[in-house]
Each structure stands twice: as C-alpha cells, then as structure tokens.
C-alpha cells in the first residue's frame, strides 16, 4: 500500500504527485489522493501541479475522470499550470482529457527535472 503523504507533496510553488509503479487504482486510493491534493493546493504559493506517472497499470476512464476532477479543483485554488511527466502514450492520453478543462495549461515532458524547469518559469 502506497502512503498518500509520499505521493503528494509541495516543493516551493509546485504541488507534486508522484504516482509510483505499484500505485493501486481504487476508489479508496483516489479519494485519499483527492483529499490530500485539496489540502496541499490551498497553500497560497502553489500555482503549478506536476503529475509524475510511473504506475504500471494502464489509464482507464476512472483515472481520466479523477484527473479532470483534480484539474477543476486545482483551478479553484489558482493552479492553472499542469505538467505531466511520463514516458510513452500515458501523458498524451491524460493531456487529451485534462486539456478539455478550460483555463488549465498542460505541458508534457519526459522527466521530473524538465517539469521542475517549467514550474520555475
């Protein structure tokens, strides 16, 4: 079981979600992630969100729905920049769904270092 406090944390102005390979895709996990996201997103300095997708499981409609919910919640807290880190098609698939949220700018990168560079600018 993945500890949600390890999954989501803040670094400066960035709310970082590190989804590890062993991340479970259950309703209970998503509920905990969303609760922690809103707790951290409320910090005044946070204006960017990084999703580092390392989980092995394929992304399904439930994941896309939860990502859209997170993007909408982030907007409420002033988070309008979202950087998706992943190799392969996962980041493209997630961008296509989250990109539907008006007012949220999406960037796709291959590494967390690239994502942090975008967040710093």
């Amino acid at each position: 079981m993945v500890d949600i406090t390890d999954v989501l944390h803040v670094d400066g102005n960035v709310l970082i979600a590190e989804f590890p390979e062993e991340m479970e895709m259950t309703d209970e996990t998503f509920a905990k992630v969303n609760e922690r996201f809103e707790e951290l997103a409320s910090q005044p300095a946070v204006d960017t969100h990084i999703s580092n997708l390392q989980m092995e499981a394929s992304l399904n409609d439930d994941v896309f729905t939860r990502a859209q919910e997170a993007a909408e919640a982030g907007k409420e807290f002033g988070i309008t920049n979202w950087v998706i880190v992943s190799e392969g098609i996962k980041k493209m698939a997630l961008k296509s769904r989250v990109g539907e949220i008006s007012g949220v700018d999406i960037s796709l990168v291959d590494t967390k270092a690239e994502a942090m560079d975008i967040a710093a600018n």
Side-chain angles (χ1 to χ4, degrees):
M1 181 80 164
V2 173
D3 183 350
I4 299 303
T5 58
D6 292 336
V7 172
L8 289 126
H9 61 279
V10 172
D11 183 353
N13 66 313
V14 185
L15 193 164
I16 302 170
E18 304 265 7
F19 296 109
E21 290 179 22
E22 67 275 10
M23 185 82 174
E24 296 176 8
M25 305 285 201
T26 65
D27 286 341
E28 180 182 346
T29 300
F30 285 127
K32 289 178 182 178
V33 166
N34 287 347
E35 182 179 318
R36 178 81 171 147
F37 179 90
E38 290 189 17
E39 174 187 317
L40 297 175
S42 67
Q43 296 182 20
V46 174
D47 63 6
T48 301
H49 174 67
I50 294 175
S51 289
N52 190 359
L53 307 175
Q54 302 305 316
M55 66 278 230
E56 291 179 2
S58 60
L59 302 180
N60 58 37
D61 282 340
D62 196 35
V63 172
F64 293 128
T65 299
R66 301 296 182 154
Q68 288 174 317
E69 290 170 359
E72 288 288 356
K75 276 180 35 178
E76 293 176 23
F77 293 104
I79 299 172
T80 57
N81 298 313
W82 193 329
V83 185
I84 302 170
V85 182
S86 181
E87 295 180 1
I89 194 140
K90 282 184 185 178
K91 66 184 172 198
M92 303 278 287
L94 191 56
K95 179 183 180 177
S96 73
R97 295 292 287 271
V98 175
E100 297 172 359
I101 307 299
S102 176
V104 177
D105 295 321
I106 308 290
S107 299
L108 304 177
V109 297
D110 294 324
T111 68
K112 184 178 171 186
E114 290 174 282
M116 293 302 287
D117 283 345
I118 290 171
N121 294 321

